[in-house]
Amino acid sequence: MSRDQWMMRRELGRKLGKKGWLYPQYPVAYGGGGLASEYSTVINRELAEIELSNPPIYDSGRLAAPTIIAQGTDAQKKRMLPPILKGEAVTWQLFTEPAAGTDEANQQIDARRSEHEKEYFIVNGGKIFVGGLYSPPDQFLLLTRSDPDAPRHRNLAMFIAPADLPGIQILPLDLFPPGTFGQTCYESGDGAPGVKHSVFFDNVKIHESFLIGGEGDGWQVANATLTVEHGGGGSSAEDREKEAQPAGGPASKYEATPAKGKTAGGGIGGPEKSKEPPGAYIPKNMVVHRFLQECTTNPNIRKRLEDNPHLLQTVVDIFIGDQIERLLNTRNTDAGRRGVRAHYMGPQHSLYLKMFGTELGAKMTKVLGPFALTDDDTWGMADDLFEVSQRSGVCVAPGGTPEALKIIISRALRIGR
């Protein structure tokens, strides 16, 4: 995506934001639409018709917004949410470090109170594997270590920090895949980061007004983010706030316990949820869709299948795998709409999609031949979608590694490791 195309998508996001449609289920008071989930379904379906997603840019505001709602002060909600919900501010999530990937509690980047200016924190250190296609963003969702001497899980601080402060350096990691399989396989690749970055902080001053929670509350705030990132978001802003509320200071990343009990659907201030709402929007896996198109309409592939009928079993396996993913997505969406809280559902779907993505490239190559995985102008297929999805399929760490997701699922089911 060229920068001009990216800027056009940002402008579309701002136009949606003015109507409250960028975050349609969030409160009107903060810039959302205050709409029930069926209205959000309509918006998603209409955008999918023109091969776009909502929002039409990579933006970790999807994680920052529920975190602010759950953990921010009233003043922070009024100040920080409108730019996100209206599409005016792009947010990058800065959690991962070389020594803090799956173990998010092992943060090494320091945020110390200034001895001379007590209202400021001085931040030093670096983050890795973060960001989107074009830098810089407008702000960071930044997890730091505020006290190296405090006990683990009580030594962290979370900030919504401006990205243009003196002392910040952003460097691209060009060799990484454009995103995960889940970010590239649906109607649009707009949700994929495009390029990952390292971000370095050298004596960066951040005012305490950007601190979410207290100096030692970063772990609780981070778990609010991780709960949503791992698929715990409900069907409305109210649901997401309750989902993002950890209980009692979890002992590890995997023990964030969302609020229990059923909650009504519908955004705050929006229409009540109907007893029999219309069908929810379930995104189509475009990689599988285009693969099946090649198998049925491409004369060369049809002949390849006729000459090698054993390959039909692989085609069927891919179709079945896609249906399993669709049914998991359908179940989770329906559960959210009905207010059902089963905390293994989101991580289970994420885990399945990651593993499906790792297998799909090899299976498609077996059926379509090696030209399916090239971006060559002459021999490439499906506008390079297969080549992009194959590279993205090996990118399984963002949003939780498979091993981490298995731990989350097992603990949600109360079966231990």
Side-chain angles (χ1 to χ4, degrees):
M1 186 189 303
S2 70
R3 190 174 188 90
D4 286 344
Q5 292 171 324
W6 184 77
M7 292 301 294
M8 289 174 66
R9 283 161 169 78
R10 282 211 64 182
E11 179 58 25
L12 173 60
R14 285 188 284 266
K15 289 180 178 179
L16 291 169
K18 287 181 180 179
K19 301 176 74 69
W21 291 1
L22 189 60
Y23 289 78
Q25 295 169 247
Y26 276 77
V28 174
Y30 301 135
L35 300 175
S37 56
E38 47 262 45
Y39 294 90
S40 180
T41 295
V42 172
I43 294 170
N44 284 325
R45 283 179 172 167
E46 290 299 320
L47 286 167
E49 287 294 320
I50 55 174
E51 298 184 354
L52 291 175
S53 56
N54 188 17
I57 49 173
Y58 173 80
D59 188 355
S60 293
R62 287 288 184 188
L63 300 176
T67 301
I68 296 168
I69 284 182
Q71 302 291 335
T73 65
D74 289 341
Q76 287 176 329
K77 293 175 187 178
K78 293 177 181 178
R79 175 167 57 91
M80 295 178 175
L81 286 173
I84 295 174
L85 302 188
K86 293 181 179 180
E88 297 167 357
V90 173
T91 309
W92 285 4
Q93 179 192 16
L94 269 60
F95 280 26
T96 302
E97 300 179 10
T102 298
D103 184 10
E104 296 286 10
N106 191 35
Q107 297 292 317
Q108 302 298 306
I109 184 172
D110 281 322
R112 309 283 187 89
R113 283 274 186 185
S114 171
E115 295 182 0
H116 305 292
E117 300 174 278
K118 297 295 186 181
E119 71 274 22
Y120 284 95
F121 289 83
I122 308 299
V123 180
N124 284 283
K127 299 289 185 176
I128 197 169
F129 308 147
V130 296
L133 185 58
Y134 292 106
S135 65
D138 299 290
Q139 59 190 15
F140 299 126
L141 179 62
L142 173 64
L143 183 60
T144 67
R145 180 178 62 181
S146 57
D147 185 351
D149 299 322
R152 182 178 166 90
H153 301 112
R154 299 178 185 175
N155 62 342
L156 304 177
M158 179 79 82
F159 298 89
I160 298 289
D164 59 353
L165 297 175
I168 294 176
Q169 184 181 26
I170 302 174
L171 299 176
L173 298 167
D174 297 321
L175 297 181
F176 276 81
T180 64
F181 180 71
Q183 291 171 323
T184 58
C185 71
Y186 295 128
E187 278 83 353
S188 170
D190 293 339
V195 176
K196 287 292 188 180
H197 299 79
S198 292
V199 182
F200 299 99
F201 294 78
D202 184 11
N203 289 324
V204 177
K205 294 171 58 176
I206 301 178
H207 193 267
E208 62 183 9
S209 61
F210 295 104
L211 176 67
I212 307 297
E215 288 185 43
D217 295 336
W219 183 242
Q220 179 176 342
V221 181
N223 270 286
T225 304
L226 294 169
T227 298
V228 177
E229 184 176 14
H230 295 153
S235 61
S236 70
E238 182 180 17
D239 293 341
R240 281 188 289 271
E241 178 175 4
K242 293 183 178 181
E243 287 280 2
Q245 289 282 5
S252 80
K253 170 181 177 179
Y254 312 111
E255 294 176 0
T257 307
K260 297 180 180 179
K262 296 182 179 181
T263 58
I268 299 173
E272 292 183 359
K273 178 182 176 183
S274 60
K275 293 182 179 179
E276 295 181 6
Y281 169 72
I282 307 299
K284 180 189 298 182
N285 189 317
M286 291 302 295
V287 177
V288 175
H289 176 70
R290 294 289 293 274
F291 167 79
L292 295 175
Q293 278 187 332
E294 294 289 341
C295 292
T296 55
T297 63
N298 186 320
N300 295 327
I301 304 304
R302 286 177 62 90
K303 186 177 187 308
R304 180 177 171 85
L305 291 171
E306 291 170 359
D307 294 342
N308 301 275
H310 64 280
L311 292 177
L312 289 173
Q313 182 60 55
T314 304
V315 176
V316 172
D317 289 342
I318 291 174
F319 174 79
I320 292 174
D322 176 55
Q323 293 304 303
I324 293 172
E325 196 268 327
R326 181 183 64 82
L327 290 172
L328 286 172
N329 203 339
T330 303
R331 178 202 65 181
N332 292 3
T333 301
D334 180 65
R337 291 167 62 85
R338 292 187 292 112
V340 174
R341 295 290 171 263
H343 303 304
Y344 62 86
M345 287 186 177
Q348 185 185 48
H349 175 257
S350 296
L351 175 62
Y352 180 82
L353 190 59
K354 286 176 184 287
M355 303 317 296
F356 184 46
T358 62
E359 300 170 358
L360 193 58
K363 289 182 177 180
M364 289 193 304
T365 306
K366 184 178 179 181
V367 175
L368 302 177
F371 292 120
L373 302 183
T374 179
D375 59 0
D376 183 84
D377 290 339
T378 302
W379 297 102
M381 304 174 70
D383 302 319
D384 303 334
L385 177 63
F386 301 144
E387 187 267 338
V388 171
S389 67
Q390 187 268 345
R391 286 188 288 117
S392 299
V394 301
C395 185
V396 296
T401 63
E403 291 75 16
L405 292 171
K406 290 176 184 177
I407 294 174
I408 297 169
I409 294 168
S410 65
R411 291 185 173 175
L413 294 173
R414 301 295 190 266
I415 60 175
R417 291 198 177 192

